[in-house]
Amino acid sequence: MGATSEDAPSLTASAIVAPAVSGSHILRIEGYSRTKGLGNGKFITSETFSIGGHRWHLKYYPDSRDSKDSDLISIFLHLDHAADRKEVRAIFTISLLDQNGNKVPSYSKSSMLYCSFSAGRQGTMGYDLIKRSELEGSGAYLKDDAFSVRCDVTVAKEIFTKAIPLPGAGRSGVVEQEQKEGVVEQEQKEATSPPVGNGV
């Protein structure tokens, strides 16, 4: 008795998908010299921006966030609001820009790994970006009393699974169809070819 389709072993495939959404925000500080002296640990906020469906802003500390060294300029990323989620996982990079709008590699700092942000006091992370003396001593970054920084953010979205076609399954179907068409074409040629007989 022949095997039925129910007896044949089945093979299926699925994928675990971990999507992410990326975005960037540029903050320009104009009148830099007039922001100095604001006070250690005090900051000025950027406009709010949206990345990954969540609201963020940057915090600019002209006199450092840390009381140990007020000569540092600090930039921190803050999560304002998490849409439908208590925690947001994100990778971020904060970079100083030159006058052409390019990132300065020596003044670019990245979290490298995903960090957990939650709206509120636990939603702020960032870096001491550059010493004020180094910024002021270089015309490549500070010009007309202004400079810019850029923050790149990649937000991890909810992981999900989905069914996917078997590897090569699509091609095997095409090959099978081509084989069937080849057989039909050959049969048609044989049916229309004149018979070959012995000469009289």
Side-chain angles (χ1 to χ4, degrees), residues 40 64-70:
N40 183 261
S64 180
R65 188 172 187 263
D66 194 333
S67 60
K68 294 179 181 178
D69 192 348
S70 60

PDB file of all heavy atoms in Angstrom, residues 40 64-70:
ATOM      1  N   ASN A  40      27.254  74.491  37.144  1.00  0.00           N
ATOM      2  CA  ASN A  40      27.502  73.064  37.062  1.00  0.00           C
ATOM      3  C   ASN A  40      26.219  72.274  37.333  1.00  0.00           C
ATOM      4  O   ASN A  40      25.484  72.549  38.283  1.00  0.00           O
ATOM      5  CB  ASN A  40      28.575  72.681  38.081  1.00  0.00           C
ATOM      6  CG  ASN A  40      28.938  71.222  37.994  1.00  0.00           C
ATOM      7  OD1 ASN A  40      28.463  70.420  38.768  1.00  0.00           O
ATOM      8  ND2 ASN A  40      29.774  70.891  37.042  1.00  0.00           N
ATOM      9  N   SER A  64      29.235  71.364  32.357  1.00  0.00           N
ATOM     10  CA  SER A  64      29.351  69.959  32.754  1.00  0.00           C
ATOM     11  C   SER A  64      28.182  69.505  33.633  1.00  0.00           C
ATOM     12  O   SER A  64      27.586  70.280  34.377  1.00  0.00           O
ATOM     13  CB  SER A  64      30.674  69.704  33.491  1.00  0.00           C
ATOM     14  OG  SER A  64      30.764  68.347  33.877  1.00  0.00           O
ATOM     15  N   ARG A  65      27.881  68.241  33.509  1.00  0.00           N
ATOM     16  CA  ARG A  65      26.858  67.636  34.342  1.00  0.00           C
ATOM     17  C   ARG A  65      27.455  67.177  35.661  1.00  0.00           C
ATOM     18  O   ARG A  65      26.773  67.096  36.675  1.00  0.00           O
ATOM     19  CB  ARG A  65      26.246  66.434  33.608  1.00  0.00           C
ATOM     20  CG  ARG A  65      25.032  65.811  34.286  1.00  0.00           C
ATOM     21  CD  ARG A  65      24.426  64.769  33.354  1.00  0.00           C
ATOM     22  NE  ARG A  65      23.161  64.257  33.863  1.00  0.00           N
ATOM     23  CZ  ARG A  65      23.022  63.136  34.551  1.00  0.00           C
ATOM     24  NH1 ARG A  65      24.110  62.409  34.849  1.00  0.00           N
ATOM     25  NH2 ARG A  65      21.833  62.724  34.955  1.00  0.00           N
ATOM     26  N   ASP A  66      28.758  66.873  35.621  1.00  0.00           N
ATOM     27  CA  ASP A  66      29.457  66.357  36.789  1.00  0.00           C
ATOM     28  C   ASP A  66      30.222  67.479  37.478  1.00  0.00           C
ATOM     29  O   ASP A  66      30.922  68.266  36.831  1.00  0.00           O
ATOM     30  CB  ASP A  66      30.431  65.255  36.362  1.00  0.00           C
ATOM     31  CG  ASP A  66      30.945  64.435  37.521  1.00  0.00           C
ATOM     32  OD1 ASP A  66      31.000  64.971  38.641  1.00  0.00           O
ATOM     33  OD2 ASP A  66      31.286  63.264  37.300  1.00  0.00           O
ATOM     34  N   SER A  67      30.123  67.562  38.772  1.00  0.00           N
ATOM     35  CA  SER A  67      30.775  68.627  39.531  1.00  0.00           C
ATOM     36  C   SER A  67      32.292  68.484  39.577  1.00  0.00           C
ATOM     37  O   SER A  67      32.993  69.401  39.997  1.00  0.00           O
ATOM     38  CB  SER A  67      30.230  68.655  40.969  1.00  0.00           C
ATOM     39  OG  SER A  67      30.476  67.408  41.605  1.00  0.00           O
ATOM     40  N   LYS A  68      32.826  67.348  39.127  1.00  0.00           N
ATOM     41  CA  LYS A  68      34.267  67.115  39.205  1.00  0.00           C
ATOM     42  C   LYS A  68      35.047  67.937  38.185  1.00  0.00           C
ATOM     43  O   LYS A  68      36.218  68.227  38.384  1.00  0.00           O
ATOM     44  CB  LYS A  68      34.563  65.621  39.006  1.00  0.00           C
ATOM     45  CG  LYS A  68      34.023  64.736  40.115  1.00  0.00           C
ATOM     46  CD  LYS A  68      34.336  63.276  39.839  1.00  0.00           C
ATOM     47  CE  LYS A  68      33.774  62.376  40.940  1.00  0.00           C
ATOM     48  NZ  LYS A  68      34.042  60.936  40.657  1.00  0.00           N
ATOM     49  N   ASP A  69      34.434  68.297  37.067  1.00  0.00           N
ATOM     50  CA  ASP A  69      35.154  69.034  36.037  1.00  0.00           C
ATOM     51  C   ASP A  69      34.179  69.937  35.286  1.00  0.00           C
ATOM     52  O   ASP A  69      33.472  69.498  34.388  1.00  0.00           O
ATOM     53  CB  ASP A  69      35.840  68.066  35.067  1.00  0.00           C
ATOM     54  CG  ASP A  69      36.834  68.769  34.157  1.00  0.00           C
ATOM     55  OD1 ASP A  69      36.824  70.015  34.125  1.00  0.00           O
ATOM     56  OD2 ASP A  69      37.619  68.081  33.500  1.00  0.00           O
ATOM     57  N   SER A  70      34.164  71.226  35.634  1.00  0.00           N
ATOM     58  CA  SER A  70      33.230  72.158  35.016  1.00  0.00           C
ATOM     59  C   SER A  70      33.709  72.637  33.643  1.00  0.00           C
ATOM     60  O   SER A  70      33.028  73.425  32.991  1.00  0.00           O
ATOM     61  CB  SER A  70      33.004  73.364  35.933  1.00  0.00           C
ATOM     62  OG  SER A  70      34.232  74.039  36.166  1.00  0.00           O
TER      63      SER A  70
END
